[in-house]
Amino acid sequence: MRIRRNSHLLALTALAALALTACEDGTGVKDEGASRPASSTATAAQPTPGTDKGTGTAPTKDTTGSAGSSGKSGGTAGGKSGGTTGAGTGAGTGGDTGDKAADTASDSRVLCNGSNTRVTAQTVARPLNHMLLTVTNTGSRTCDLTYNPVLRFDEMQWVPQAAKETQPQAVTTLAPGESGYAGVLLSAADGSGDGGQTAKKLTVAFQGYTPNSDGGASATPTLPAEGVYYDSSLTVTYWQQDMDDALSW
């Protein structure tokens, strides 16, 4: 009986020694080490934060940043471009509008008078006792011959009347280089006029846009050397666009 107990104790001692030997030779550690590759493999299946950030997030961020930068640049450029275009258009239109207004003003009609025309006076054979006034626009702008010429021979103290029946439908307008006309009845053909005399000087005054208003500088066309005879019948026509109309009265 004692022998069996001793044998049993010996067997337990041997097992304990064997277990201790196994721990010392690293078998248990090797087993734990074998389980570690499995854990490492599982971890490798899902990228580590550092790897994911380096390979996925960074490129995406760069791309997004580039797109965002481009978008911002495009938006800014577009906005500035649009703003600049708008400002340029406004300024250009304002400038073009200002330039056109100036052009329109420079091209607008002015009054014809002694400062922008050449005036001549000549007697004619037909009709009898008539004289023709010719006004030529020597300026660079179109001018208007309004109403009728206001004549003064020498130092006469009265103003010859205008024949109402000669008033044209529209104001006589002269483009640069064009001429307008007026006829002058100097004396009655039948001698019914009185106060006849011979004038050596003629002054032609111009009217403004209202009757008897000042139209600007007067003209002093040269009269024939022998002078011009006139009497109380002295009458003028309205300014005419056509010479024949001026002399048909």
Side-chain angles (χ1 to χ4, degrees):
M1 193 68 178
R2 183 176 296 176
I3 293 172
R4 289 183 178 176
R5 288 181 180 176
N6 290 336
S7 298
H8 183 66
L9 290 173
L10 289 173
L12 289 175
T13 301
L15 288 173
L18 180 62
L20 180 60
T21 302
C23 289
E24 289 177 352
D25 65 9
T27 302
V29 175
K30 288 181 181 179
D31 289 342
E32 290 178 0
S35 65
R36 194 171 292 172
S39 175
S40 178
T41 302
T43 303
Q46 186 174 5
T48 61
T51 303
D52 180 64
K53 183 175 181 181
T55 59
T57 305
T60 303
K61 186 175 181 180
D62 290 342
T63 303
T64 303
S66 299
S69 176
S70 299
K72 183 176 181 181
S73 174
T76 303
K80 288 185 178 179
S81 176
T84 304
T85 302
T89 302
T93 302
D96 289 343
T97 302
D99 292 341
K100 288 181 180 179
D103 290 343
T104 300
S106 65
D107 292 339
S108 63
R109 298 189 316 209
V110 296
L111 288 168
C112 299
N113 56 43
S115 68
N116 56 14
T117 63
R118 181 180 66 255
V119 182
T120 61
Q122 63 183 97
T123 56
V124 296
R126 293 286 186 274
L128 291 175
N129 303 334
H130 274 67
M131 182 173 70
L132 177 68
L133 295 178
T134 302
V135 176
T136 303
N137 184 354
T138 58
S140 59
R141 300 166 68 178
T142 298
C143 68
D144 290 335
L145 279 171
T146 58
Y147 305 106
N148 56 275
V150 179
L151 305 184
R152 183 183 184 188
F153 284 110
D154 293 335
E155 301 301 323
M156 68 188 306
Q157 300 299 310
W158 55 282
V159 178
Q161 297 300 304
K164 293 294 184 183
E165 62 270 28
T166 65
Q167 184 171 0
Q169 295 296 317
V171 174
T172 297
T173 300
L174 307 180
E178 289 187 336
S179 297
Y181 310 89
V184 182
L185 171 62
L186 295 170
S187 60
D190 59 6
S192 60
D194 55 19
Q197 54 187 299
T198 299
K200 298 291 186 177
K201 178 183 178 181
L202 172 63
T203 300
V204 179
F206 298 84
Q207 299 187 60
Y209 287 109
T210 57
N212 302 316
S213 61
D214 184 10
S218 298
T220 54
T222 302
L223 294 177
E226 65 275 14
V228 171
Y229 178 83
Y230 72 95
D231 63 20
S232 59
S233 302
L234 183 62
T235 309
V236 299
T237 69
Y238 280 74
W239 291 112
Q240 307 293 323
Q241 203 80 49
D242 187 86
M243 182 189 302
D244 292 337
D245 292 337
L247 294 176
S248 62
W249 165 76

